[in-house]
Amino acid sequence: MSNTDDLRWVMQLTLLGDKSAFDKLTCKYQSPIRRFFRNLTMGDVPLSDDLAQETFIKAYLNINTFKGISGFSTWLFRIAYNVFYDSVRAQKHFADIDNHEIDQQHQTQNEFSAEKIDIYQAIKMLRKEEQTAVLLFYMEDKTHNEIAKIMDTPLGTVKTYILKGKEKLSVYLTNAGYGK
Amino acid sequence: MENKNNDTLLKDFLSNGKQEIADNGFTKRMMRKLPDQPNRSWIVWTFACIGMTLTLAFSLYSGSMQMLLNYLQNIPIYYLLGVIFCFPLVGMLSICLTNDKKRWVI
């Protein structure tokens, strides 16, 4: 599947009101968007799915504002980013994260729970903006320019976030003995 | 050098944590929540009809329709029939190829 497919589906949705086109877009992007939210919410599956759902609904309602200048993925992640930060500002879900509860939840989830905790613990050390930039760069394979568009932040600032995030995570991973 | 090592370390660490999340009905639940969009296909058909009407009117007015008919009368009928029957064949093939590419991947 390519960016041409994305544009074709967007056109089918906007010109013909073809919902099945949006179904295909959702199928394609549900995994990266949900993964993005899972990492930002420290593994809170119900919350990340709610946020992902909100993202896709907003994308559907505002599909006419997609101009095709950037890729559909970049546009969708921009919406996801805004949804996440609106949620943070509302402080509905991030007031007190019970670390013990998260530990318990993840240890019963699957055989890779130990590695998941490492990632969430590692990411938790970063500032929210650094988390977003690092996850988009290293996990979602976005370029610096795309991240700047997603976060609506100057390119230099994005590079600083990634650099600082990388430094902090490298220290954490080295101290934890990762890669030795 | 250290920068590159950090980069590799981080890429390795985060890519190990990168998982594809199974749909598990997420798309279905989400699609059910979407409001109904009005069907706008009538716009496409309206403009298509207007375009065809204008083209026909122009060709009749300018006489190019008559010229085309005269030209077609000189072509052997079998050639014309072959072309006419090829159109739906080519059209169907294009639709099949564009709609479902997976079927053609070996």
Side-chain angles (χ1 to χ4, degrees):
Chain A
M1 289 190 215
S2 63
N3 287 333
T4 328
D5 288 325
D6 291 351
L7 287 173
R8 184 160 54 91
W9 291 328
V10 169
M11 275 171 60
Q12 282 174 356
L13 179 61
T14 48
L15 289 178
L16 305 174
D18 184 6
K19 258 185 173 177
S20 67
F22 193 73
D23 186 280
K24 288 173 187 152
L25 284 166
T26 309
C27 280
K28 182 177 174 184
Y29 289 107
Q30 61 85 23
S31 179
I33 294 290
R34 288 163 77 195
R35 181 175 58 232
F36 177 60
F37 281 126
R38 273 197 202 178
N39 287 320
L40 286 175
T41 59
M42 305 302 143
D44 189 336
V45 173
L47 176 59
S48 57
D49 281 359
D50 279 346
L51 293 173
Q53 220 166 63
E54 198 180 325
T55 300
F56 283 107
I57 291 172
K58 282 198 168 160
Y60 179 80
L61 293 173
N62 296 293
I63 198 73
N64 293 323
T65 64
F66 174 63
K67 293 178 175 60
I69 299 167
S70 60
F72 182 78
S73 171
T74 306
W75 183 74
L76 191 62
F77 268 99
R78 170 123 182 85
I79 295 173
Y81 173 81
N82 286 334
V83 162
F84 177 71
Y85 277 94
D86 286 346
S87 181
V88 167
R89 269 184 235 115
Q91 291 188 350
K92 286 178 192 169
H93 309 290
F94 299 95
D96 290 299
I97 297 175
D98 187 338
N99 292 335
H100 178 68
E101 203 178 300
I102 292 174
D103 289 345
Q104 289 294 315
Q105 186 185 345
H106 289 294
Q107 275 163 13
T108 55
Q109 261 190 349
N110 57 50
E111 62 194 83
F112 301 110
S113 291
E115 290 171 6
K116 288 264 188 317
I117 291 170
D118 286 338
I119 287 176
Y120 299 138
Q121 283 175 348
I123 292 168
K124 224 164 46 170
M125 291 171 11
L126 309 179
R127 286 170 50 202
K128 288 268 178 271
E129 295 82 8
E130 288 167 359
Q131 287 175 8
T132 307
V134 162
L135 287 169
L136 287 171
F137 188 72
Y138 287 104
M139 207 177 263
E140 306 304 332
D141 301 321
K142 297 293 176 202
T143 63
H144 288 113
N145 282 323
E146 284 171 336
I147 297 172
K149 283 179 189 167
I150 290 168
M151 296 177 70
D152 195 20
T153 303
L155 185 62
T157 311
V158 166
K159 288 181 178 175
T160 306
Y161 286 152
I162 292 172
L163 191 66
K164 290 218 155 31
K166 187 166 71 173
E167 283 167 5
K168 290 177 190 173
L169 283 175
S170 303
V171 167
Y172 172 83
L173 292 175
T174 310
N175 291 340
Y178 184 83
K180 286 184 183 166
Chain B
M1 185 67 184
E2 195 188 331
N3 209 20
K4 264 193 178 172
N5 289 339
N6 287 344
D7 225 32
T8 313
L9 186 73
L10 215 55
K11 265 190 189 151
D12 189 50
F13 175 69
L14 287 172
S15 60
N16 281 343
K18 182 174 180 176
Q19 50 163 355
E20 288 306 315
I21 299 174
D23 194 289
N24 288 339
F26 173 84
T27 303
K28 252 191 191 163
R29 287 192 300 274
M30 206 278 308
M31 292 299 291
R32 262 187 253 129
K33 291 192 176 183
L34 294 179
D36 284 321
Q37 283 249 22
N39 192 347
R40 292 194 207 102
S41 59
W42 63 269
I43 299 173
V44 178
W45 289 112
T46 305
F47 277 99
C49 288
I50 292 171
M52 285 191 298
T53 309
L54 287 172
T55 309
L56 189 65
F58 176 76
S59 57
L60 284 169
Y61 177 77
S62 63
S64 51
M65 182 63 84
Q66 190 58 45
M67 278 171 60
L68 181 68
L69 285 170
N70 289 340
Y71 176 73
L72 288 172
Q73 276 170 356
N74 292 329
I75 297 175
I77 189 71
Y78 300 110
Y79 288 173
L80 276 176
L81 285 173
V83 166
I84 288 166
F85 283 116
C86 271
F87 269 120
L89 212 67
V90 170
M92 287 294 292
L93 205 63
S94 318
I95 289 168
C96 286
L97 283 172
T98 52
N99 274 353
D100 194 0
K101 286 177 187 165
K102 280 183 193 174
R103 256 194 250 155
W104 301 96
V105 173
I106 300 166

